Amino acid sequence: MELEPHIDMHQNHPLQEGFYFDPNVYGIVLEHDETGHLYFVENPNEEYELIPLNLPRIHSVNETSGTIYCLYGPLRYHPFNHGVSKVTNRRISVTYRHVHFGNNN
């Protein structure tokens, strides 16, 4: 399984689903995988256009069990996208976000 590169909804994104996330995302890798890890690509397209497949990875996180990370600013939004490479065994991670429901006031 692989999590393709993507961007998260945030407070400036249209509230199509009725909620948005705070700018910071925190995560911890509870069990790492030898091949599956967080990575980043640079998307040349407009902010909310589809992300091309097979973009070259500009950074891969060298994860171990217990790795803690915070995604904020450009690492969460355009022009950068984040994903998880193909997991061969098992990767367990927990992501923390503050979610706001309703309008963005």
Side-chain angles (χ1 to χ4, degrees):
M1 178 176 183
E2 180 173 350
L3 178 60
E4 295 292 336
H6 63 280
I7 57 173
D8 299 314
M9 289 192 311
H10 59 85
Q11 61 188 1
N12 296 324
H13 188 280
L15 297 172
Q16 297 170 353
E17 302 297 326
F19 68 93
Y20 66 96
F21 297 122
D22 264 0
N24 296 345
V25 173
Y26 304 93
I28 183 169
V29 178
L30 300 175
E31 184 175 327
H32 79 284
D33 184 80
E34 293 299 319
T35 61
H37 55 271
L38 183 66
Y39 68 89
F40 300 89
V41 298
E42 189 167 1
N43 182 1
N45 289 342
E46 293 297 318
E47 187 167 358
Y48 292 109
E49 287 186 15
L50 291 176
I51 300 163
L53 297 177
N54 301 320
L55 288 173
R57 295 177 183 171
I58 60 170
H59 182 72
S60 293
V61 178
N62 184 17
E63 294 180 351
T64 60
S65 295
T67 297
I68 298 172
Y69 57 88
C70 175
L71 301 182
Y72 62 94
L75 289 177
R76 283 205 56 223
Y77 309 120
H78 190 267
F80 301 104
N81 303 123
H82 56 277
V84 174
S85 57
K86 186 173 181 177
V87 174
T88 56
N89 186 23
R90 180 167 73 174
R91 176 184 182 269
I92 301 173
S93 66
V94 178
T95 303
Y96 300 90
R97 309 166 193 235
H98 187 163
V99 180
H100 298 271
F101 293 95
N103 63 32
N104 58 351
N105 294 328

